[in-house]
Amino acid sequence: MVHPDDVHLLHDWAMYGPRNEEIAKLVEALAKRGIRVETIEAQIEAFLREKLRELEQA
């Protein structure tokens, strides 16, 4: 089965980032308040890893 986001989103994600402009705005707002981008990315990664663990356990 091919994922519906395979071509347009998943393969381009690492290079171009999210299509959702609100995500970029939120990252910028947090950075303007002194949070490092690497910290924001680490929190996003932690959330996604936890979500994957939940799905794998289901």
Side-chain angles (χ1 to χ4, degrees):
M1 179 176 102
V2 175
H3 191 279
D5 295 333
D6 188 48
V7 175
H8 297 292
L9 291 176
L10 295 176
H11 288 253
D12 292 342
W13 179 271
M15 184 177 290
Y16 300 113
R19 286 185 171 186
N20 183 335
E21 186 179 325
E22 189 62 25
I23 293 170
K25 287 179 182 179
L26 289 166
V27 170
E28 184 176 354
L30 290 168
K32 284 182 178 180
R33 288 164 177 78
I35 300 176
R36 299 287 310 268
V37 173
E38 70 181 35
T39 301
I40 297 166
E41 289 177 339
Q43 291 175 337
I44 292 168
E45 180 183 358
F47 169 80
L48 294 173
R49 287 188 184 280
E50 179 60 29
K51 190 64 171 172
L52 181 58
R53 269 192 292 277
E54 290 173 10
L55 293 170
E56 288 174 340
Q57 292 175 357

